[in-house]
Structures are given as structure tokens and as C-alpha cells.
Amino acid sequence: MEQLAFPKYENYKPSGIEWVGEIPAHWGTQKGKWLFKKVERPVRPEDKIVTAFRDGTVTLRSNRRTEGFTNAIQEHGYQGIRKGDLVIHAMDAFAGAIGVSDSEGKATPVYAACVGRGEFKTNNQYFAYLLRFISKAGYILALAKGIRERSTDFRFNDFGKLLLPLPPKAEQDRIANFLDRKTAEIDEAIAKKQRLIELLKEQKAILINQAVTKGLNPDAPMRDSGVEWIGDIPSHWLIRKLKYFTEVQSGITLGKLYGGNNLSSYPYLRVANVQAGYFELAEIAELRLPRQIANQYLVRKGDILITEGGDIDKLGRGTVWKGEIGNCLHQNHIFAVRVNQRLVSEYFVSIALGADYGRRYFTHTANKTTNLASTNKAKLGNFPVAIPPINEQQKILEYCEVIDTEYDAVINTVLREVASLNEYKQVVVADAVTGKIKL
């Protein structure tokens, strides 16, 4: 990353802070406990829950989203939060859950609501940027004391012990105002690129769905498929439910104990290993089973492995097993589907499962709970597939591979641009709050 096009201060001095290095010569340093105090206010009847999000936004939970949170039955120890407070989420500070509240409300005792002590003039937004910089740099994670994986218990006492750079108040104001504008500009550029990525994914999905339901010949005579999610298909294509040209093998139920002699170790696939279009095989568990039991659950080359449940957008995703691991089993939340290859290619069925009409089928027929969805063997068997002749399937597969390659190349380019913008944003914040550039 190139150096920012901003002037530097004339003179610098050692800060005595490992993660800062040198600071402008006229800046001071001070521990957090002499800059801020933790306040504990009573909760008012009208107060709603305030949440510190990992992007640094501190706002009423209702302003962002309400689902996916654990709500306390009794609000023991809740405290009042006021607009303008510097708020630190003790358990998520390592991930950036630090910011200035834009709302009045209440929060759990795991939050620290901080206000300036008054002995030194402080701009809360400047110190929010500073603390988020050190969290992104991994310094808070290095102080980890929490019991949750990749978490920290970063309490106010820990914050109070930190030695922090202290620019004059006028410079704190300039830095905070500059970063508000600059990060907003970068965030908007990132948002535009993310919208472009979503548009590219939509266009790719439309082209693939068109190919597997309408074929590649725009002049082919068409007929009604009789399936709402498919619509018209070429008149020479077939419509068949999955159960009529496949065998579906259920997986092994974990937790059962298999005793006896002659046990062998077998790798087995869990839901986390079956991703959309590929397998994540970095971590593979093993089971010890008798051979005659294991043989019932072996995955064969050419099987389409389909997840039974999970997030609604991942439900029923299908990926073809190419024999990545020999003598591999699958758990009971994964179906192994074996197609009649004289009628249809397993790769064509896999693409159909992931196409728009496949997504619509599983979304419509899923068993849904608050956050998850699932299918079953019967519903999977009733999935309708539009089937062209084998030679036409091969042409469609080749076309879809080209579409995948071309669109993924563009999407990956845009993703790299997003990563560069995020990196640039971190550099801007780091250089501004530590005085590496003069504002």
C-alpha cells in the first residue's frame, strides 16, 4: 500500500507505546483511566437495548436488526447508555465492538459506558477510532483473558491501564472529523463494489438457470413443464422427480457405539465439510467401525452429497464427490445421491440443485425454524429435474463451466479491490490516530 498523500509533522518523539511507535513531538501520552471514567446509570422505563456492533456502530438494536440475539429474561445489572458515550463491549472489543453511541438506551453490564474525566480534554470519537485501530492490530486479542474462543475479557480496568497517545483537543477534533468523512467515502466505495458483486452473482445465476431449464437453443419448440419453478422447457426434454432415477443413501448417525474386534478407522464428512460447490477438507474427523457397518455409509465417486439442513440459502446444496478421500463415510445430515448415469449426468443434477429453481423448491418445501431450515429424504426425492438428452446435457455443462469461470474471475477481481479498500481504510485510520500524517 502506497504512503498516504498527506504531510507529516516536523518533529517526532518516541511514544513509549509499543503499538504506536513515534508520535508528534508536541503530543502527550496518558493512561486511559486518567482520560475516562466508567459511569453506571440507572435504567429509565423508556430505555431500549443498545448494542455495540463489530463495525464500530453503537446504536439501538432495533436500528439494525432484532433477530439472532439472546434476550435476557431478567435484566440484571443493566445500565443506562447516553448518546455520545464511548462504549466498549468487553467480550467483543477484540473484534472492534467499540464506538460512540448515537442513541439513548440501556445495555448489559458487559458494556463499559465511558465519559471524559475532565482533567484532560478528550474527543470520544477520536478515542473510539484509536481503540478500534488497536483492536484491528490484534493488540486487544493479545491481552486475551476470556474463556470463549478468540474472545477477550477487555474490561474498563484493562482499558484504564493502557497508555494512549494524547493529541491536543483541537487536533483530536480534526482527526475525528477527517476520519468520519474519509471512512464514509471508503465505505461507500466498498458498498458499491459489494453491490456489483451481488449483481454479478445474480446475472451468473440467471444464465445458469436459463441453461438448465431452457437449454442453449433459443429457437427450440417449448412446452409447459407442469412445474411452477421451472416453467416452459424444450418440448423434447423430460421432467422426472429425483427419486425415479436415483438412489439416496442416508448417512451414519454419530454418537452410536460400535464395539467388538476388527475395528478400522474411517474419515467421515460432516455438514461443515460440504460447501456450495466444493468440499472443505482441512479438518476431517474419524470413526472406528466394523467394516460391515462402514460399508453401508461409504461415499462413492460420482455421488452428489447434499446437506439436510442449515441456513436457508445453503439448504439442499449439492456437490459431486470425485473421490477426494478413499473409504470415506458421511454423517446422517448429509444425503449421498447416486444417479442413473444412462439418463442424466450427476454434474447436471448438481447444477440443477444449485440453480434458481432448485433454490426456490427447497425454500418453499423446507421445514423452517427461527434461524434454520431442513429437508428430508422424501422432499429430496420429489425434487423435479428438467432432463435434456445426454449429449445436450454435456453441452450445457460446458457452457455453465465457461459462465462460472468468466464470472468468478470478475467477482474475484472485485473482491480483491474490496480487500484493498479495507486495507487502505485501516492504514488511513492507523496513520491518522497515531500522528503519522498531519491533518
Side-chain angles (χ1 to χ4, degrees):
M1 182 66 62
E2 295 181 2
Q3 287 293 316
L4 300 176
F6 295 103
K8 293 181 175 293
Y9 289 92
E10 291 76 15
N11 298 302
Y12 287 84
K13 66 181 180 182
S15 67
I17 307 171
E18 179 182 356
W19 44 270
V20 171
E22 291 189 332
I23 57 174
H26 64 288
W27 286 22
T29 59
Q30 195 55 256
K31 288 187 176 180
K33 64 182 178 181
W34 302 122
L35 299 175
F36 292 92
K37 62 183 178 181
K38 180 183 177 184
V39 292
E40 296 182 358
R41 308 183 184 92
V43 174
R44 303 170 302 191
E46 68 272 18
D47 285 336
K48 305 299 181 183
I49 295 177
V50 168
T51 297
F53 294 90
R54 290 184 171 190
D55 64 359
T57 301
V58 181
T59 190
L60 289 172
R61 180 179 295 180
S62 58
N63 289 341
R64 291 282 288 264
R65 59 184 175 90
T66 56
E67 70 280 1
F69 292 102
T70 300
N71 294 310
I73 297 175
Q74 293 183 328
E75 297 178 346
H76 292 299
Y78 272 58
Q79 59 182 310
I81 300 292
R82 299 293 177 263
K83 186 175 181 179
D85 285 354
L86 174 63
V87 178
I88 301 171
H89 187 321
M91 301 305 291
D92 269 358
F94 81 99
I98 305 168
V100 176
S101 179
D102 65 11
S103 304
E104 306 266 321
K106 60 186 176 182
T108 73
V110 78
Y111 285 42
C114 308
V115 298
R117 291 178 60 91
E119 290 91 338
F120 300 93
K121 294 181 179 180
T122 56
N123 180 307
N124 286 7
Q125 189 72 306
Y126 165 79
F127 283 96
Y129 279 119
L130 177 67
L131 290 173
R132 280 176 52 75
F133 152 63
I134 68 173
S135 76
K136 295 295 183 182
Y139 186 73
I140 291 178
L141 187 60
L143 300 175
K145 296 182 297 184
I147 60 173
R148 290 193 295 120
E149 184 180 358
R150 286 193 61 79
S151 179
T152 64
D153 189 5
F154 185 67
R155 302 284 174 173
F156 180 79
N157 285 343
D158 303 303
F159 166 54
K161 296 174 185 176
L162 289 182
L163 188 62
L164 305 172
L166 180 63
K169 176 63 163 51
E171 288 186 55
Q172 294 179 41
D173 295 342
R174 287 200 301 273
I175 293 169
N177 291 335
F178 165 77
L179 289 177
D180 285 346
R181 294 192 306 272
K182 193 66 178 177
T183 57
E185 291 173 5
I186 298 171
D187 287 343
E188 178 58 27
I190 290 172
K192 288 179 179 178
K193 291 188 180 296
Q194 289 172 334
R195 288 194 292 270
L196 174 59
I197 290 171
E198 292 306 311
L199 179 61
L200 289 166
K201 288 181 178 179
E202 289 175 10
Q203 291 175 339
K204 172 183 163 182
I206 289 170
L207 290 172
I208 290 177
N209 193 72
Q210 179 81 9
V212 297
T213 59
K214 305 293 185 286
L216 304 179
N217 180 7
D219 299 321
M222 308 294 283
R223 67 176 176 87
D224 183 7
S225 69
V227 179
E228 177 185 355
W229 300 288
I230 296 178
D232 289 346
I233 61 172
S235 56
H236 63 288
W237 287 25
L238 303 174
I239 289 287
R240 293 287 186 273
K241 291 183 178 179
L242 200 69
K243 62 185 175 184
Y244 293 127
F245 61 90
T246 66
E247 295 179 2
V248 179
Q249 175 178 285
S250 297
I252 188 168
T253 300
L254 303 183
K256 288 186 177 181
L257 297 177
Y258 297 93
N261 300 321
N262 301 318
L263 299 180
S264 300
S265 292
Y266 295 89
Y268 71 91
L269 299 173
R270 297 165 293 175
V271 170
N273 299 124
V274 182
Q275 298 295 318
Y278 69 98
F279 294 99
E280 176 53 68
L281 302 177
E283 295 184 9
I284 297 291
E286 289 193 350
L287 289 176
R288 288 184 60 79
L289 299 170
R291 179 175 297 178
Q292 65 270 26
I293 299 295
N295 286 343
Q296 302 173 41
Y297 306 104
L298 287 173
V299 180
R300 302 178 191 172
K301 186 176 180 180
D303 284 354
I304 307 169
L305 298 183
I306 300 172
T307 54
E308 175 192 51
D311 297 336
I312 191 69
D313 62 326
K314 298 175 181 177
L315 175 63
R317 62 192 178 195
T319 304
V320 177
W321 183 253
K322 299 177 182 178
E324 284 86 343
I325 299 174
N327 292 328
C328 188
L329 315 178
H330 62 108
Q331 73 170 112
N332 61 315
H333 296 301
I334 299 169
F335 299 108
V337 177
R338 297 183 184 123
V339 307
N340 179 348
Q341 296 180 344
R342 291 175 297 177
L343 177 66
V344 64
S345 163
E346 64 270 29
Y347 293 99
F348 187 87
V349 175
S350 179
I351 289 177
L353 288 163
D356 180 64
Y357 88 84
R359 300 298 86 217
R360 292 175 66 188
Y361 173 82
F362 285 111
T363 299
H364 180 77
T365 62
N367 301 315
K368 301 182 182 72
T369 62
T370 303
N371 298 317
L372 300 175
S374 65
T375 191
N376 55 42
K377 193 172 182 178
K379 291 177 179 179
L380 179 61
N382 285 326
F383 176 70
V385 183
I387 305 176
I390 285 288
N391 62 336
E392 196 171 343
Q393 290 177 41
Q394 187 57 42
K395 292 178 182 178
I396 292 171
L397 288 172
E398 292 171 358
Y399 169 82
C400 290
E401 184 176 357
V402 170
I403 293 297
D404 259 336
T405 300
E406 291 179 349
Y407 273 81
D408 286 353
V410 178
I411 289 169
N412 287 334
T413 297
V414 181
L415 285 171
R416 287 193 293 271
E417 292 170 354
V418 169
S420 293
L421 283 168
N422 277 314
E423 180 185 351
Y424 175 63
K425 178 180 174 180
Q426 297 307 317
V427 171
V428 169
V429 172
D431 283 1
V433 297
T434 60
K436 302 301 185 292
I437 57 176
K438 182 178 181 180
L439 298 171

